[in-house]
Amino acid sequence: MSETKVMTPRFRVSFPNVLRPGKPMQAGAEPKYGITMLFPKGADLSKLKAAAQAACVDKWGADQSKWPKNLRNPFRDQAEKEFEGYEAGAIFVTATSKQRPGLVDAMVQDIIEEKDFYPGCYARATVNAFCYDQAGNRGVSFGLNNVQKLADGEPLGGRTRATDDFEAVADDMSKESAGSIFG
């Protein structure tokens, strides 16, 4: 891997758009694939940070005094968001791509069903750090390459499973004739 391409540590998945692109935030913008990675407190993000720094050196040179001021930081405190599963003091990072990333399970088998990769499961990803300098916006971001689901987890978003909402019921309808149902 190059200095800017790294494998992330294990993270909890939030806002996965890896099987189909998400809706763009701005009207007229191109839809992108992406994922928000929720790292637990104390996660070792040194490889990601080194990749981000290498991208800055590639873009603006080794002399940090010549780097643009107020660069947007890709490492953000989860406390900035008020979403289920986000924890103050823990870091989140978003990675996006114009191309569909590869998505495999722990046994390196392709995942093709959205239900199998959901907010709350656990994964790791390969990402590329890059710098941008467009229309006055300057910073570091991550491009999403591939994702590997590592484990299931409690789903985020408040949605319950159908098996948790319902109990089995007797098939009372089979005892009634069509006439008595509509009668």
Side-chain angles (χ1 to χ4, degrees), residues 75-89:
F75 305 98
R76 298 172 53 191
D77 189 326
Q78 292 178 22
E80 290 179 27
K81 305 289 184 181
E82 293 185 15
F83 299 129
E84 181 183 354
Y86 286 59
E87 179 183 9

Side-chain angles (χ1 to χ4, degrees), residues 15-117:
F15 297 103
N17 291 300
V18 293
L19 292 171
R20 59 187 161 116
K23 294 179 183 175
M25 296 268 210
Q26 298 172 335
E30 186 177 350
K32 289 184 179 181
Y33 296 91
I35 194 168
T36 299
M37 302 173 278
L38 304 179
F39 296 102
K41 283 184 182 178
D44 181 4
L45 302 179
S46 59
K47 289 182 182 178
L48 284 169
K49 290 179 179 182
Q53 180 148 356
C56 288
V57 170
D58 287 350
K59 178 90 171 166
W60 294 297
D63 184 354
Q64 291 186 20
S65 69
K66 295 183 180 177
W67 292 2
K69 304 296 180 230
N70 300 320
L71 287 176
R72 291 189 178 181
N73 187 344
F75 305 98
R76 298 172 53 191
D77 189 326
Q78 292 178 22
E80 290 179 27
K81 305 289 184 181
E82 293 185 15
F83 299 129
E84 181 183 354
Y86 286 59
E87 179 183 9
I91 300 296
F92 78 93
V93 174
T94 299
T96 61
S97 175
K98 291 179 183 177
Q99 290 84 35
R100 183 176 169 184
L103 177 61
V104 295
D105 63 17
M107 301 304 292
V108 195
Q109 300 298 309
D110 287 335
I111 295 176
I112 56 174
E113 295 288 332
E114 284 187 46
K115 68 178 179 58
D116 295 329
F117 193 75

Side-chain angles (χ1 to χ4, degrees), residues 12 40 75 79 112 119 134-135 167 177-178:
R12 194 162 187 205
F75 305 98
I112 56 174
Q134 297 177 334
E167 306 175 350
S177 69

Side-chain angles (χ1 to χ4, degrees), residues 127-169:
V127 296
N128 279 325
F130 66 92
C131 292
Y132 56 90
D133 185 354
Q134 297 177 334
N137 292 320
R138 296 178 177 128
V140 181
S141 193
F142 287 95
L144 181 61
N145 294 324
N146 295 299
V147 181
Q148 181 181 33
K149 179 182 174 183
L150 299 174
D152 285 312
E154 189 66 32
L156 297 175
R159 185 175 180 144
T160 59
R161 297 179 302 181
T163 55
D164 293 336
D165 284 353
F166 302 106
E167 306 175 350
V169 295

